Amino acid sequence: MNSKPVLFLDSGLGGIPYCRDFLKRNPNEAICYLADRLNFPYGPRGKEEIASILTALTEKLLKTANPKIAVLACNTASIAALAPLRENFPNLPFVGTVPAIKPAANASKNGKIGVLGTERTINDIRSLHLADDRCEIIGVAAPELVEFVEHGFYNADENEKTEIVKKYIKLFRAEGADTVVLGCTHFLYLLEDFRREAAPFIKIFDSLDGITKRIEYLLEENDGILRAEKDSRPVNRFILTGTNAPDQFWRDMAQKLGFNLCLLEEL
Ligand code: DGL
């Protein structure tokens, strides 16, 4: 049994749907959620830069939060940094998030798969070999959508959400895609809008379920040595980078989750 926390990392809000999904199914596990607001957004950054940001964060978090598993709840971070992180921290199991291209390719009838992600993800997507060569990947970078979710979503009305999503569905329809993968964790906030606007022409895919199952698999391995006690009542933490006092937005976010808010600096 192991009472150490499961760490979720993202540049901002993107990892929260993953964290919630995991917590719903695993309420005895302690969670640390890190929002790297200081370095948001990751999407326009170079691979090496993202890898060095995440290496420094992991180093610090290993000393302070002491996680048993680290979940990169961010496609951009996973694509840029998963391999170097595994190399630099061989004793910490990492779970990465990659766009769900395989299930989309299996479901696609015409082999045209749309992928929506950050600039970094779309730039590097083909090097991941997630689809078979007969599939055509239609990659679209949507930094505007990342920005919208991080800074506009909670104050936006339904109409604004529909309009921004419509724009991308229109683009994928014009390209003939019959499946679209949400390849950025931020876009999960708009999942229902995407599904509604895409039906019945395009099927939407995401990686939420796959990530939760992968973490559970790691916890169950070796007779569940990493699992927390069944009756444990963990204290969950919401950690922010940067030295500015958290504003109301972050305080509300942590409160909604029932997590204790703190700065990485203070740990
Ligand atoms: N949530 C991140 C992802 O899944 C990207 C956001 C950013 O650009 O920082 O790719």
Side-chain angles (χ1 to χ4, degrees):
M1 294 293 152
N2 189 316
S3 59
K4 290 182 189 177
V6 176
L7 169 69
F8 288 76
L9 296 116
D10 181 54
S11 56
L13 304 177
I16 293 176
Y18 291 76
C19 192
R20 275 190 202 281
D21 191 62
F22 174 74
L23 205 53
K24 201 169 63 198
R25 281 159 50 165
N26 302 275
N28 302 314
E29 294 293 340
I31 307 285
C32 274
Y33 184 89
L34 180 110
D36 186 12
R37 62 172 176 167
L38 188 65
N39 294 301
F40 173 89
Y42 285 166
R45 297 180 188 275
K47 237 178 155 158
E48 285 72 25
E49 191 187 2
I50 298 170
S52 95
I53 289 171
L54 284 154
T55 299
L57 284 176
T58 308
E59 216 151 46
K60 170 106 180 151
L61 286 158
L62 268 175
K63 287 191 200 124
T64 51
N66 196 17
K68 57 184 172 187
I69 293 177
V71 183
L72 300 184
C74 172
N75 293 262
T76 311
S78 305
I79 286 170
L82 190 57
L85 287 173
R86 283 186 171 143
E87 207 175 298
N88 294 339
F89 306 99
N91 296 324
L92 179 64
F94 283 91
V95 176
T97 314
V98 288
I101 293 177
K102 275 190 184 144
N106 291 337
S108 174
K109 295 207 164 54
N110 66 5
K112 291 190 177 188
I113 299 150
V115 181
L116 199 58
T118 64
E119 306 93 305
R120 176 84 273 122
T121 298
I122 297 307
N123 193 64
D124 295 346
I125 198 96
R126 284 174 189 82
S127 65
L128 295 177
H129 303 293
L130 294 171
D132 97 34
D133 289 343
R134 285 164 301 177
C135 289
E136 184 191 340
I137 302 283
I138 303 152
V140 173
E144 171 205 26
L145 211 48
V146 175
E147 190 59 39
F148 174 75
V149 170
E150 187 75 16
H151 295 130
F153 178 83
Y154 280 100
N155 294 318
D157 59 30
E158 287 314 311
N159 194 38
E160 277 174 272
K161 293 178 196 168
T162 305
E163 284 311 308
I164 199 162
V165 163
K166 247 186 189 163
K167 189 173 122 183
Y168 291 99
I169 292 299
K170 202 171 154 195
L171 212 148
F172 284 119
R173 280 198 67 192
E175 294 285 338
D178 69 351
T179 47
V180 166
V181 180
L182 301 184
C184 170
T185 57
H186 277 73
F187 304 162
L188 260 289
Y189 286 85
L190 295 163
L191 180 62
E192 288 315 314
D193 304 86
F194 270 107
R195 284 195 176 139
R196 188 186 59 245
E197 294 308 315
F201 309 103
I202 293 177
K203 209 166 173 241
I204 304 292
F205 286 81
D206 67 77
S207 54
L208 190 64
D209 193 47
I211 298 301
T212 299
K213 286 193 176 133
R214 179 68 193 150
I215 308 168
E216 287 169 344
Y217 173 84
L218 291 175
L219 292 171
E220 296 303 336
E221 257 188 341
N222 304 318
D223 296 325
I225 195 168
L226 289 181
R227 270 281 180 211
E229 296 278 355
K230 286 228 165 5
D231 55 0
S232 64
R233 290 169 173 265
V235 174
N236 299 324
R237 281 190 290 194
F238 197 106
I239 307 165
L240 291 173
T241 54
T243 49
N244 291 349
D247 56 24
Q248 193 59 44
F249 175 78
W250 291 112
R251 294 207 295 270
D252 289 348
M253 202 52 73
Q255 199 196 11
K256 263 189 240 163
L257 281 164
F259 286 16
N260 290 350
L261 185 63
C262 58
L263 297 182
L264 181 61
E265 292 286 312
E266 298 165 351
L267 282 183

